[in-house]
């Protein structure tokens, strides 16, 4: 584990963390919908979407999950993989990469830098693996706030894409 800002600690995740991750995802949908954003993740709680629970369980068993904790309580989650989801219209990098497949934080702790701490951890894990490229994709709709968040955290926009009518943006960060 490593210490980060505001007493946040980041540890490896496991299948036992799936319920907490699902709770954070469900709360994020409610939060986004409350702000008028029904396009990014829809209106159905993640745990009730077809395949949602199984996807989170796969994330915690087949990928590299990390959990941010505050006073022992899960307040954020990050999942790293070796490339983008095969379901997304995103080309693999032409070099080894680490890919952020999931980043979510508990909205009750917004403003504490949980997402930034998890992204910094992702960069460190990428570096530690001897890989020079970290990428992520995100929703590019609305006012571009999510893209701007990743830019503030050291990522550079690369390719835009559409997944049906869902606008997406791939961003990359060189780590060294």
């Amino acid at each position: 584990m490593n210490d980060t800002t505001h007493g946040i600690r980041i540890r490896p995740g496991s299948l036992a963390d799936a319920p907490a991750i699902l709770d954070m995802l469900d709360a994020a949908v409610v939060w986004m919908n409350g702000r008028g954003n029904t396009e990014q993740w829809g209106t159905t709680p993640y745990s009730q979407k077809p395949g949602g629970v199984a996807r989170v369980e796969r994330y915690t068993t087949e990928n590299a999950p990390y959990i941010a904790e505050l006073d022992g309580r899960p307040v954020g989650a990050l999942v790293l993989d070796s490339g983008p989801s095969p379901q997304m219209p995103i080309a693999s990098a032409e070099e080894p990469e680490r890919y952020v497949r999931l980043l979510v934080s508990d909205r009750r702790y917004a403003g504490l830098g949980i997402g930034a701490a998890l992204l910094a951890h992702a960069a460190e894990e990428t570096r530690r693996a001897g890989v020079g490229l970290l990428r992520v994709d995100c929703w590019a709709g609305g006012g571009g706030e999510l893209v701007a968040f990743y830019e503030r955290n050291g990522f550079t926009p690369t390719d835009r894409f559409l997944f049906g009518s869902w606008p997406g943006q791939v961003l990359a960060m060189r780590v060294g």
Side-chain angles (χ1 to χ4, degrees):
M1 288 200 264
N2 62 333
D3 290 289
T4 58
T5 58
H6 299 284
I8 297 165
R9 297 177 62 82
I10 298 174
R11 64 167 173 80
S14 71
L15 181 59
D17 294 303
I21 295 169
L22 284 163
D23 286 347
M24 285 184 260
L25 289 166
D26 286 351
V29 170
V30 170
W31 177 78
M32 284 187 265
N33 289 181
R35 298 179 72 217
N37 178 350
T38 59
E39 297 173 60
Q40 185 175 347
W41 286 357
T43 57
T44 303
Y46 201 87
S47 62
Q48 295 176 21
K49 290 182 180 186
V53 171
R55 182 175 301 115
V56 169
E57 290 174 350
R58 277 193 313 276
Y59 281 163
T60 62
T61 58
E62 297 174 9
N63 302 112
Y66 296 94
I67 302 297
E69 293 183 327
L70 184 60
D71 298 325
R73 177 191 176 111
V75 295
L78 164 80
V79 174
L80 285 177
D81 199 355
S82 60
S85 169
Q87 287 79 36
M88 297 299 280
I90 301 168
S92 294
E94 296 188 11
E95 65 181 278
E97 69 176 314
R98 291 294 179 269
Y99 206 94
V100 176
R101 291 285 295 275
L102 174 70
L103 178 67
V104 65
S105 62
D106 186 324
R107 299 311 309 159
R108 293 174 292 183
Y109 298 91
L112 295 182
I114 296 164
L118 285 164
L119 289 173
H121 187 78
E124 180 56 35
E125 288 296 320
T126 301
R127 205 176 289 108
R128 190 183 341 257
V131 175
L133 179 63
L134 176 62
R135 291 195 308 159
V136 64
D137 65 78
C138 69
W139 185 63
E145 295 159 351
L146 192 51
V147 173
F149 165 78
Y150 284 109
E151 289 178 306
R152 284 191 307 275
N153 282 280
F155 287 83
T156 301
T158 58
D159 303 316
R160 291 186 65 94
F161 65 93
L162 279 176
F163 185 64
S165 62
W166 193 88
Q169 175 71 58
V170 178
L171 299 101
M173 174 193 290
R174 287 278 166 200
V175 299

